[in-house]
Amino acid sequence: MHTRPGLALTLEGAQVALAAGLARAEELQGRFNVAVTDAAGDLLAFARMDDAFAESGLIAIDKCRTVVRFGGAPTDGLYEALAGEDAVVRGIANRPGIAAFGGGVAIVVDGHVVGAVGASGGSAAALGAFAEQLICENNAVLDA
């Protein structure tokens, strides 16, 4: 067999993830850009909250792409995993579309990474709290 079965995140699923992200950002009193991509890193849903920095939108998308292209690893976890490898960190940081710092998490359904949620526009601590909560919320909602 030269193919494998897979699950695909739908627009409706992406909108569920986006709504959860925006609700979480409101709880944190953040002004974030929130992006949702499919498993290939292609954008499905996006929102820039009032007063969020426009440039952070591209970073939110990059965080999603980083998550799905590194096997579902949260972006803050990726940085931590590479922290002792200075040359690798510098090399990865210079690649277009990579954001190895907090705010990006996988959307996992039945053990498969089907997409990612990324946020940008806040402190590392706020984005870490944002991401950690979304791992639980999205996976519970989308698994149903």
Side-chain angles (χ1 to χ4, degrees):
M1 167 109 6
H2 299 286
T3 62
R4 60 181 156 215
L7 298 171
L9 184 63
T10 64
L11 175 58
E12 183 179 2
Q15 291 170 330
V16 168
L18 180 64
L22 293 171
R24 182 66 179 140
E26 287 288 342
E27 289 172 14
L28 294 168
Q29 299 179 335
R31 293 292 166 246
F32 301 154
N33 290 276
V34 181
V36 181
T37 65
D38 63 16
D42 293 322
L43 187 64
L44 288 173
F46 176 83
R48 182 173 70 229
M49 298 176 74
D50 293 341
D51 299 323
F53 298 117
E55 188 63 23
S56 290
L58 297 174
I59 297 169
I61 296 166
D62 286 346
K63 289 178 183 183
C64 290
R65 290 181 175 152
T66 300
V67 168
V68 298
R69 294 176 181 169
F70 281 87
T75 53
D76 59 350
L78 179 60
Y79 180 81
E80 290 171 13
L82 300 174
E85 302 285 335
D86 191 51
V88 176
V89 170
R90 283 193 236 191
I92 287 175
N94 288 321
R95 300 285 307 153
I98 301 294
F101 46 94
V105 294
I107 301 171
V108 179
V109 176
D110 294 334
H112 299 277
V113 175
V114 298
V117 179
S120 187
S123 70
L127 290 169
F130 170 92
E132 190 61 39
Q133 182 65 30
L134 279 184
I135 290 172
C136 299
E137 287 180 14
N138 281 328
N139 295 342
V141 169
L142 294 175
D143 258 343

